[in-house]
Amino acid sequence: MTRGEYMENYFRPELTEDQIRGISSIGLAHMGDAVFEVLARAWLCAHGKATGKGLHRAAVALVCAESQAERAERILPVLSEEERAVFRRGRNAQVHSVPAHASRAQYGEATALEALFGWLYLRGETERVNELFCMMMEG
C-alpha cells in the first residue's frame, strides 16, 4: 500500500511486515489497547456481566494497567521468541506519563502486552491473540 492508497477493510488490516515494523511500540500499544478492550468487553458479556454500571466497572478493572500486568505474567512462558521480542520492545517504550494507580513497572508490562496484541492483530494473527487472551483470563 503506497501513500494515498487506502485499505478496504479496517477490521482485517492487510499491512506488510515492513509497514508493521515501521509502527512504533507506542503505536502498536495503541492498537493493542483497543483489541484488549474489545476482548475484555466480549468476555464480560459472555460471562453474564452485561449490566449498566457494573459492566463498565468490570471492564475498567480488567483493562487497567495493574490487571493487564498481572495477567501478562500468565502468558510469558508460552510466547515465541519473536513475540517475546515485541513484548520487550513494548515494555521498553518511552512513555511520558504513568497513571497514579499503577507503578512504572506495571505500566511497562501493560504497554508490552498491548504492543504484543497490537502487533499480532495487525499481522492478522487473531487466533493467536484470542489464544493468549483466553490463557490470561483462566483462573
Side-chain angles (χ1 to χ4, degrees):
M1 195 165 52
T2 61
R3 195 171 187 79
E5 289 183 43
Y6 296 96
M7 266 190 276
E8 292 185 23
N9 186 345
Y10 288 95
F11 278 115
R12 295 190 189 274
E14 293 181 17
L15 300 173
T16 66
E17 285 296 319
D18 283 345
Q19 287 172 313
I20 294 170
R21 244 187 317 279
I23 299 170
S24 71
S25 295
I26 298 298
L28 293 175
H30 179 73
M31 182 78 250
D33 177 55
V35 171
F36 192 87
E37 176 94 21
V38 167
L39 291 169
R41 288 178 180 220
W43 187 87
L44 289 168
C45 287
H47 288 84
K49 302 199 187 303
T51 59
K53 261 188 205 174
L55 181 60
H56 176 72
R57 282 192 200 111
V60 169
L62 281 178
V63 302
C64 71
E66 302 97 323
S67 177
Q68 286 183 337
E70 176 191 322
R71 292 172 189 280
E73 293 298 316
R74 298 177 188 175
I75 64 168
L76 291 178
V78 302
L79 296 182
S80 71
E81 199 53 49
E82 195 174 19
E83 290 168 343
R84 272 191 219 117
V86 172
F87 190 90
R88 273 192 306 275
R89 188 176 144 210
R91 186 174 48 221
N92 296 332
Q94 296 300 314
V95 293
H96 300 293
S97 63
V98 175
H101 52 79
S103 70
R104 183 164 285 285
Q106 287 171 323
Y107 196 66
E109 291 288 301
T111 302
L113 175 68
E114 291 173 348
L116 175 62
F117 274 29
W119 179 76
L120 288 168
Y121 173 79
L122 291 172
R123 289 173 51 113
E125 296 185 38
T126 55
E127 291 296 323
R128 180 62 171 159
V129 173
N130 188 64
E131 177 184 2
L132 293 173
F133 180 80
C134 289
M135 285 181 205
M136 292 171 59
M137 299 309 287
E138 289 174 0

